[in-house]
Amino acid sequence: MSAMARAELRGEPETVRMLIGGHWREGRDTTEVIDPYRGEAVARAPRSTREDLDDALRAAVAAKEQAAAMPGYQRAELLRRVGKLLPE
């Protein structure tokens, strides 16, 4: 069971974190994600700062050459693994 599902069972929204440069981080501030059908908060999403954006861009630029050098099948496997990290 995902962390989001466990939080939902407890009746509290999960706080989502950001994955930047291979490291999870919390946002300095969050905003509630509201389920439009129930009108209830289902998650707290981070509000990215300029620093978060700069760090994410630096990480993407640093990974570009490495990703370009990978064969297609390795990139596909990497994307599958990343997809498994995303909450359901």
Side-chain angles (χ1 to χ4, degrees):
M1 179 181 292
S2 72
M4 185 172 270
R6 286 192 302 275
E8 198 169 304
L9 285 176
R10 291 191 306 267
E12 60 189 58
E14 177 190 12
T15 299
V16 179
R17 297 180 299 154
M18 298 176 278
L19 180 60
I20 298 176
H23 302 284
W24 290 103
R25 70 167 74 165
E26 309 244 344
R28 290 187 189 147
D29 193 15
T30 60
T31 187
E32 286 191 335
V33 178
I34 306 295
D35 179 332
Y37 299 102
R38 297 183 303 188
E40 299 173 4
V42 294
R44 287 185 209 93
R47 288 189 189 173
S48 299
T49 63
R50 179 65 185 237
E51 180 183 350
D52 296 327
L53 174 62
D54 289 342
D55 290 346
L57 288 172
R58 272 193 292 278
V61 168
K64 180 183 176 187
E65 287 184 30
Q66 184 179 7
M70 296 172 107
Y73 72 90
Q74 284 182 333
R75 285 194 304 273
E77 176 57 27
L78 179 61
L79 290 172
R80 280 191 285 278
R81 288 176 34 212
V82 169
K84 289 179 182 180
L85 294 173
L86 301 174
E88 296 176 16

Tab-separated table of all heavy atoms in Angstrom, residues 6 9 12 21 24 26 28-29 34 36 40 42 46 53 55 62 70 73 82:
chain	number	residue	atom	x	y	z
A	6	ARG	N	-2.135	5.022	2.630
A	6	ARG	CA	-2.137	4.916	4.096
A	6	ARG	C	-2.588	6.225	4.735
A	6	ARG	O	-3.365	6.233	5.675
A	6	ARG	CB	-0.749	4.526	4.596
A	6	ARG	CG	-0.397	3.075	4.339
A	6	ARG	CD	0.864	2.656	5.099
A	6	ARG	NE	2.021	3.461	4.755
A	6	ARG	CZ	2.826	3.233	3.725
A	6	ARG	NH1	2.610	2.220	2.929
A	6	ARG	NH2	3.863	4.014	3.491
A	9	LEU	N	-6.287	6.569	4.381
A	9	LEU	CA	-7.018	5.734	5.334
A	9	LEU	C	-7.079	6.387	6.709
A	9	LEU	O	-8.061	6.235	7.431
A	9	LEU	CB	-6.365	4.351	5.446
A	9	LEU	CG	-6.597	3.410	4.278
A	9	LEU	CD1	-5.806	2.111	4.479
A	9	LEU	CD2	-8.078	3.101	4.101
A	12	GLU	N	-5.936	11.831	6.637
A	12	GLU	CA	-5.086	13.014	6.535
A	12	GLU	C	-4.383	13.012	5.187
A	12	GLU	O	-4.017	11.962	4.671
A	12	GLU	CB	-4.057	13.035	7.662
A	12	GLU	CG	-3.145	11.831	7.659
A	12	GLU	CD	-2.267	11.751	8.893
A	12	GLU	OE1	-2.800	11.718	9.993
A	12	GLU	OE2	-1.035	11.716	8.705
A	21	GLY	N	17.754	15.777	-8.448
A	21	GLY	CA	19.138	15.316	-8.489
A	21	GLY	C	19.360	14.029	-7.714
A	21	GLY	O	20.429	13.827	-7.148
A	24	TRP	N	15.500	13.195	-2.330
A	24	TRP	CA	14.158	13.644	-1.951
A	24	TRP	C	14.286	14.860	-1.055
A	24	TRP	O	15.147	14.905	-0.181
A	24	TRP	CB	13.412	12.538	-1.205
A	24	TRP	CG	13.043	11.390	-2.083
A	24	TRP	CD1	13.660	10.178	-2.154
A	24	TRP	CD2	11.968	11.351	-3.020
A	24	TRP	NE1	13.045	9.391	-3.085
A	24	TRP	CE2	11.995	10.078	-3.633
A	24	TRP	CE3	10.992	12.253	-3.417
A	24	TRP	CZ2	11.084	9.703	-4.607
A	24	TRP	CZ3	10.083	11.863	-4.384
A	24	TRP	CH2	10.131	10.602	-4.962
A	26	GLU	N	11.776	18.088	0.939
A	26	GLU	CA	10.477	18.664	1.274
A	26	GLU	C	10.439	20.098	0.774
A	26	GLU	O	11.473	20.757	0.695
A	26	GLU	CB	10.281	18.653	2.792
A	26	GLU	CG	10.548	17.307	3.417
A	26	GLU	CD	9.323	16.701	4.060
A	26	GLU	OE1	8.356	17.431	4.281
A	26	GLU	OE2	9.364	15.495	4.318
A	28	ARG	N	9.595	24.060	1.196
A	28	ARG	CA	9.541	24.991	2.338
A	28	ARG	C	8.101	25.326	2.680
A	28	ARG	O	7.762	25.599	3.817
A	28	ARG	CB	10.310	26.260	2.021
A	28	ARG	CG	11.789	26.042	1.963
A	28	ARG	CD	12.519	27.360	1.803
A	28	ARG	NE	13.922	27.064	1.543
A	28	ARG	CZ	14.692	27.793	0.790
A	28	ARG	NH1	14.222	28.883	0.224
A	28	ARG	NH2	15.950	27.461	0.593
A	29	ASP	N	7.263	25.329	1.648
A	29	ASP	CA	5.840	25.621	1.819
A	29	ASP	C	5.074	24.613	0.973
A	29	ASP	O	5.608	24.048	0.028
A	29	ASP	CB	5.549	27.056	1.347
A	29	ASP	CG	4.189	27.547	1.783
A	29	ASP	OD1	3.578	26.925	2.682
A	29	ASP	OD2	3.719	28.542	1.217
A	34	ILE	N	-6.954	19.514	-3.606
A	34	ILE	CA	-8.334	19.226	-3.237
A	34	ILE	C	-8.982	18.289	-4.251
A	34	ILE	O	-8.905	18.526	-5.456
A	34	ILE	CB	-9.166	20.539	-3.150
A	34	ILE	CG1	-8.497	21.538	-2.201
A	34	ILE	CG2	-10.603	20.260	-2.761
A	34	ILE	CD1	-8.432	21.100	-0.764
A	36	PRO	N	-11.846	17.358	-6.309
A	36	PRO	CA	-12.980	18.177	-6.734
A	36	PRO	C	-14.343	17.511	-6.501
A	36	PRO	O	-15.354	18.196	-6.440
A	36	PRO	CB	-12.735	18.397	-8.233
A	36	PRO	CG	-11.869	17.267	-8.646
A	36	PRO	CD	-11.042	16.907	-7.443
A	40	GLU	N	-12.393	17.515	-0.433
A	40	GLU	CA	-11.464	17.264	0.677
A	40	GLU	C	-10.021	17.324	0.193
A	40	GLU	O	-9.723	17.003	-0.954
A	40	GLU	CB	-11.719	15.870	1.272
A	40	GLU	CG	-13.100	15.685	1.844
A	40	GLU	CD	-13.356	14.246	2.274
A	40	GLU	OE1	-12.428	13.410	2.186
A	40	GLU	OE2	-14.476	13.958	2.689
A	42	VAL	N	-6.540	15.921	-0.388
A	42	VAL	CA	-6.020	14.566	-0.554
A	42	VAL	C	-4.491	14.527	-0.484
A	42	VAL	O	-3.901	13.464	-0.336
A	42	VAL	CB	-6.497	13.928	-1.880
A	42	VAL	CG1	-8.000	13.718	-1.848
A	42	VAL	CG2	-6.097	14.776	-3.077
A	46	PRO	N	4.413	20.280	-2.607
A	46	PRO	CA	5.394	21.329	-2.324
A	46	PRO	C	5.285	22.478	-3.312
A	46	PRO	O	4.958	22.288	-4.474
A	46	PRO	CB	6.732	20.602	-2.481
A	46	PRO	CG	6.445	19.465	-3.386
A	46	PRO	CD	5.021	19.074	-3.149
A	53	LEU	N	14.132	25.095	-8.317
A	53	LEU	CA	14.176	25.130	-9.775
A	53	LEU	C	15.612	25.124	-10.282
A	53	LEU	O	15.968	24.354	-11.187
A	53	LEU	CB	13.443	26.362	-10.303
A	53	LEU	CG	13.533	26.591	-11.809
A	53	LEU	CD1	12.908	25.451	-12.586
A	53	LEU	CD2	12.890	27.910	-12.175
A	55	ASP	N	18.283	24.025	-8.755
A	55	ASP	CA	18.884	22.718	-8.472
A	55	ASP	C	18.392	21.663	-9.465
A	55	ASP	O	19.173	20.829	-9.934
A	55	ASP	CB	18.556	22.272	-7.044
A	55	ASP	CG	19.276	23.095	-5.989
A	55	ASP	OD1	20.220	23.842	-6.326
A	55	ASP	OD2	18.884	22.986	-4.803
A	62	ALA	N	23.334	18.193	-15.904
A	62	ALA	CA	24.413	17.260	-15.574
A	62	ALA	C	24.104	15.848	-16.071
A	62	ALA	O	25.009	15.111	-16.473
A	62	ALA	CB	24.647	17.245	-14.063
A	70	MET	N	23.636	6.597	-23.148
A	70	MET	CA	23.044	5.289	-22.841
A	70	MET	C	22.339	4.713	-24.057
A	70	MET	O	21.692	5.447	-24.796
A	70	MET	CB	21.990	5.414	-21.731
A	70	MET	CG	22.468	5.842	-20.403
A	70	MET	SD	21.041	6.146	-19.321
A	70	MET	CE	21.159	4.753	-18.261
A	73	TYR	N	17.650	0.872	-24.766
A	73	TYR	CA	17.048	-0.089	-23.837
A	73	TYR	C	17.364	0.267	-22.386
A	73	TYR	O	16.552	0.054	-21.493
A	73	TYR	CB	17.469	-1.529	-24.164
A	73	TYR	CG	18.912	-1.860	-23.838
A	73	TYR	CD1	19.258	-2.365	-22.596
A	73	TYR	CD2	19.916	-1.656	-24.769
A	73	TYR	CE1	20.571	-2.666	-22.290
A	73	TYR	CE2	21.230	-1.951	-24.477
A	73	TYR	CZ	21.557	-2.456	-23.232
A	73	TYR	OH	22.864	-2.751	-22.929
A	82	VAL	N	11.878	4.759	-12.698
A	82	VAL	CA	11.387	6.053	-12.202
A	82	VAL	C	9.884	6.020	-12.054
A	82	VAL	O	9.317	6.501	-11.068
A	82	VAL	CB	11.837	7.207	-13.126
A	82	VAL	CG1	11.112	8.493	-12.783
A	82	VAL	CG2	13.339	7.404	-13.025
